[in-house]
Amino acid sequence: MRSDASRLGLYLLLAPILLWLTVLIILPHIGLFLVSISEKIGPREYETGFDNYAAFFTEPLYWRTFGRTAIMSILATVLTLLIGFPIAYYIAKLTKGRTKTTLFLMCMIPFWVSELVRTFGWMILLRETGVFSNLLQSLGLVSGPVEMLYNDAAIMVGLVYTSILFMVVPLVTTLDSLDDSLIEAGYDLGGTSTSILREIVIPHAMPGIVSGCIVVFMLSLGNYLTPILLGGKDSLWFTGMIYTQFITRFNWELGSAFGFLLLALSSLVVFAGLKLSGQSLSNTMGRS
Amino acid sequence: MITSIPQRAFTKWCYRAYVATFFVYLGLPLVVVCVFAFNNSVFPSLPWEGFTLAWFFGNEAPFIGVFNERAIMRSIGTSAFVAAWVSGLAVLVGTCNAFLFVRYNFKGKAFLYMLMLLPLIIPGVILGISILVFFSSVANTLEDATGMWFDGLRPGLPLVILGQFSFITTFATLVISARLQKFDPSLEEAALNLGASKWGAIRQITLPFLLPAIVASAVVAMLMSFENFNTTLMLVGSDSPLTITMFDKLKQGSTPVLNAVSLLLMVVSAILGLLSLLFQKKR
């Protein structure tokens, strides 16, 4: 009787999650793949084939944008790690109590403000009539207005800004769990700051580094607003291309193929990252 | 703090300066957005033309304030509607998931848990287009078969709600599960021993214990729904939520109205964030 009730409970609880995952995650992705391998041969007539993928590989604009997006995302990930690591180390190891909590919460700022507002803020700072341009002019460093928007550096600033939180938070968590005495022991044994960083701190922080890098890479790869608004019209980003195929050109078949390629790239990188570091998805992401 | 390790004063100050610079980098864009909401000029840029509240309350062109800009007010309403639905659904399914993963053991649990985490690593644009493609093909098939129209499956608010719900549920599940794991099951057993029914014990003991996490996840879900862009962009129909309206305005050339909206958004999310912190502390 009791086990029957508990079995009924199990089925009742399984229903919503299965419904959610099947209808909103699994079936749509299968559908996306099916559309990506269908070719339009006439009005409302389709044939199965890999023409859309072939179109991607034969048109340099497509695969170059794909490559560019991937490389810029990797660069953004590396930069975020380099900028975020000292900050995380400072918060985790060199402060305590209220200062620590405050600094940690301050890192959350970009998360609490919508992506659009953040990007808008950078536009006000960087544009020709913007704050930086005016500041440089009033300091007498430049003679006329400078346009700092609409280039790759501006995109990079925006990407790092958007994702820094997802790097700092896991790093602080892992660094927090590193026992201070281990670092002291390193010094007692005559280690230098560099050797201690390399031999003790970084190996310990590895799970945090991996989970941070995965999330930052995925967010940069899938970003739409930052490249469009900060990079201007000539800056090509793969998500922008997907949008164009879907909404402007109404070529859903090619757009689906693009979407699937982007998904493949991001999953590949995530799983390579997990395998290389010996982490699992449940361990790194399940804790966030 | 590691105080036992000697550090040269110069290195220490360099480090501190770096940390300070970092926080300036973090705050600067938001500060300028707020400051320019009060600039008496039709562009959100220097020079400073004097203080004004016109971007909030103004009703004469070109100084039309947020509260008199119909498109923005309507889209705030749309966003609130979407956020309420998404947050309600996500909390409901998230609570069920938490009970499922914390209380039950069944075949394929680890696999299901991994599936549940997947929305975290799928780019938002992909979630959007896959839902768009799938529901459109379902609508096409149904329309061919029945000859009726299925507008709910076409881009529009129902799809926006489903699209946001598809990944926000994962966050709700994680937050609520974390709290449920800390629950002491003997409390529930005690209630059962005292004659409570299973459901009565959950309602009287477990759910009140979970309430802080439920409220927190509802607030986070609402904020995430309000600020979501990538998924929403692909699924939006004729009624657009706030972020989409702002994006359209930004593309046309920005006016300081956007600064005013942004400032209001920041204030509201700060208040919501503080409230949920206070609420958690009280418990």
Side-chain angles (χ1 to χ4, degrees), chain A residues 56-128:
Chain A
F56 169 81
F57 287 106
T58 47
E59 171 61 59
L61 180 70
Y62 295 158
W63 57 258
R64 277 193 190 144
T65 306
F66 188 72
R68 181 185 133 86
T69 308
I71 290 168
M72 294 267 289
S73 301
I74 291 170
L75 194 63
T77 311
V78 173
L79 274 176
T80 313
L81 179 62
L82 290 180
I83 293 171
F85 195 87
I87 301 295
Y89 190 80
Y90 189 83
I91 295 175
K93 289 285 153 219
L94 303 178
T95 57
K96 57 183 173 188
R98 184 159 283 191
T99 326
K100 187 175 188 156
T101 324
T102 314
L103 290 183
F104 190 67
L105 283 179
M106 272 165 71
C107 289
M108 305 275 189
I109 291 171
F111 182 73
W112 293 112
V113 182
S114 99
E115 206 179 338
L116 194 82
V117 176
R118 290 173 227 158
T119 317
F120 184 42
W122 280 109
M123 289 173 76
I124 297 176
L125 286 172
L126 296 176
R127 71 158 64 109
E128 212 175 344

Side-chain angles (χ1 to χ4, degrees), chain A residues 39-68:
Chain A
E39 299 157 14
K40 201 171 192 156
I41 48 169
R44 306 209 67 169
E45 260 185 280
Y46 295 95
E47 205 172 65
T48 307
F50 288 91
D51 258 20
N52 298 312
Y53 292 92
F56 169 81
F57 287 106
T58 47
E59 171 61 59
L61 180 70
Y62 295 158
W63 57 258
R64 277 193 190 144
T65 306
F66 188 72
R68 181 185 133 86

Side-chain angles (χ1 to χ4, degrees), chain A residues 83 86 109 112 161 184 218 222, chain B residues 4 15 18 26 120 223 230:
Chain A
I83 293 171
I109 291 171
W112 293 112
Y161 188 82
E184 286 163 6
M218 196 275 291
Chain B
S4 56
Y15 202 177
Y18 173 73
L26 222 51
L120 288 183
L223 288 175
N230 281 0

Side-chain angles (χ1 to χ4, degrees), chain A residues 75-92 104 107 160-161 163-175 205 208-209 212-213 216, chain B residues 15 18-19 22-23 25-26:
Chain A
L75 194 63
T77 311
V78 173
L79 274 176
T80 313
L81 179 62
L82 290 180
I83 293 171
F85 195 87
I87 301 295
Y89 190 80
Y90 189 83
I91 295 175
F104 190 67
C107 289
V160 171
Y161 188 82
S163 44
I164 192 89
L165 149 86
F166 299 95
M167 186 63 88
V168 171
V169 170
L171 282 178
V172 169
T173 318
T174 47
L175 285 174
I209 294 177
C213 286
V216 171
Chain B
Y15 202 177
Y18 173 73
V19 174
F22 173 79
F23 282 106
Y25 166 74
L26 222 51

Side-chain angles (χ1 to χ4, degrees), chain A residues 2 6 9-10 13-14 16-18 20-21 23-29 31-32 35 44 82-87 89-91 93-96 103 105-107 109-118 120-125 127 129-132 134 157-158 160-161 164 168 180 183-184 187 214 218 222-225 228-229 239 242-243 246-247 252 255-256 259-260 262-263 266 270-271 281-282 285-286 288, chain B residues 1-5 7 15-16 18-19 22-23 25-30 32-33 36 44-47 93 95-97 99-101 104-106 110 112-127 129-136 140 144 162-163 165-167 169-170 173-174 192 198 219-220 223-224 226-227 229-230 233-234 242-243 246-247 250-251 254-255 258-259 262 265-266 269 273 277:
Chain A
R2 182 140 192 180
S6 122
L10 174 66
L13 289 176
L14 270 174
I17 188 173
L18 289 181
W20 159 46
L21 289 175
V23 175
L24 293 176
I25 308 291
I26 299 168
L27 286 180
H29 283 89
L32 189 70
V35 171
R44 306 209 67 169
L82 290 180
I83 293 171
F85 195 87
I87 301 295
Y89 190 80
Y90 189 83
I91 295 175
K93 289 285 153 219
L94 303 178
T95 57
K96 57 183 173 188
L103 290 183
L105 283 179
M106 272 165 71
C107 289
I109 291 171
F111 182 73
W112 293 112
V113 182
S114 99
E115 206 179 338
L116 194 82
V117 176
R118 290 173 227 158
F120 184 42
W122 280 109
M123 289 173 76
I124 297 176
L125 286 172
R127 71 158 64 109
T129 52
V131 177
F132 286 158
N134 269 284
V157 167
V160 171
Y161 188 82
I164 192 89
V168 171
D180 288 356
I183 301 177
E184 286 163 6
Y187 278 105
I214 286 175
M218 196 275 291
N223 202 316
Y224 175 82
L225 272 174
I228 297 284
L229 291 178
T239 37
I242 295 177
Y243 179 80
F246 265 91
I247 310 293
W252 283 20
S256 302
F260 222 78
L262 189 74
L263 184 64
S266 82
V270 169
F271 284 101
L281 191 62
S282 317
M285 308 295 290
S288 55
Chain B
M1 202 194 314
I2 310 180
T3 41
S4 56
I5 291 157
Q7 233 180 353
Y15 202 177
R16 280 189 189 156
Y18 173 73
V19 174
F22 173 79
F23 282 106
Y25 166 74
L26 222 51
L28 201 57
L30 309 182
V32 293
V33 166
F36 280 105
S45 60
L46 289 169
V93 176
T95 312
C96 289
N97 291 352
F99 274 97
L100 181 71
F101 286 119
Y104 287 90
N105 272 314
F106 52 92
L112 198 64
Y113 191 71
M114 204 200 71
L115 276 184
M116 189 274 295
L117 291 175
L118 275 187
L120 288 183
I121 54 160
I122 301 174
V125 172
I126 311 281
L127 278 176
I129 56 169
S130 66
I131 288 174
L132 173 67
V133 165
F134 176 67
F135 280 87
S136 300
N140 285 342
D144 284 349
L162 286 179
F165 163 76
S166 73
F167 70 94
T169 306
T170 304
T173 305
L174 290 175
L192 290 176
K198 181 88 185 150
V219 169
V220 171
L223 288 175
M224 287 179 83
F226 239 91
E227 71 152 305
F229 185 82
N230 281 0
L233 180 70
M234 296 295 170
L242 185 60
T243 40
M246 285 173 76
F247 178 65
L250 203 53
K251 272 196 303 190
S254 52
T255 73
L258 293 178
N259 294 63
S262 308
L265 275 179
M266 281 184 224
S269 43
L277 271 183

